Amino acid sequence: ALLAAAATSTDARFARPALARLAEREFADPVSLPAARGHFAEYARRFATAPDAWVPAIRLGQVAQAEGRREAAVAAFVAAAEAHPDDAFVRALALA
């Protein structure tokens, strides 16, 4: 409940780590994949300029992959690579 409350904070110091922790915890449980997708997407939307914005972009692809949605996974990985054209590591990871 504390993480969920912090995730809605307007203060990024609280919301960013709370969203990340919620999403990662949900990603670990196959039943919670839809919730993980929502939290990763929210993080990517709210904090698109954060230095770690590439992480939820790739995680969205991993969620789609875990859900068996292959085409959505490929699209998410390609989008992550395209969103970070100047970062060779992110592009390689996303396209791998």
Side-chain angles (χ1 to χ4, degrees):
L2 287 174
L3 283 176
T8 64
S9 174
T10 57
D11 189 332
R13 293 176 300 165
F14 302 115
R16 281 182 63 210
L19 274 172
R21 176 136 347 214
L22 275 172
E24 289 296 336
R25 185 171 60 185
E26 293 158 346
F27 181 73
D29 181 2
V31 174
S32 303
L33 288 174
R37 183 179 348 102
H39 285 124
F40 284 129
E42 182 179 353
Y43 189 106
R45 181 186 54 78
R46 285 178 61 189
F47 307 110
T49 60
D52 62 348
W54 64 271
V55 174
I58 289 178
R59 286 304 231 176
L60 285 167
Q62 291 175 318
V63 168
Q65 187 176 26
E67 291 175 323
R69 298 180 307 116
R70 186 180 187 282
E71 291 176 11
V74 169
F77 291 133
V78 169
E82 290 174 349
H84 303 278
D86 298 328
D87 191 326
F89 172 76
V90 174
R91 287 185 52 78
L93 185 62
L95 296 175

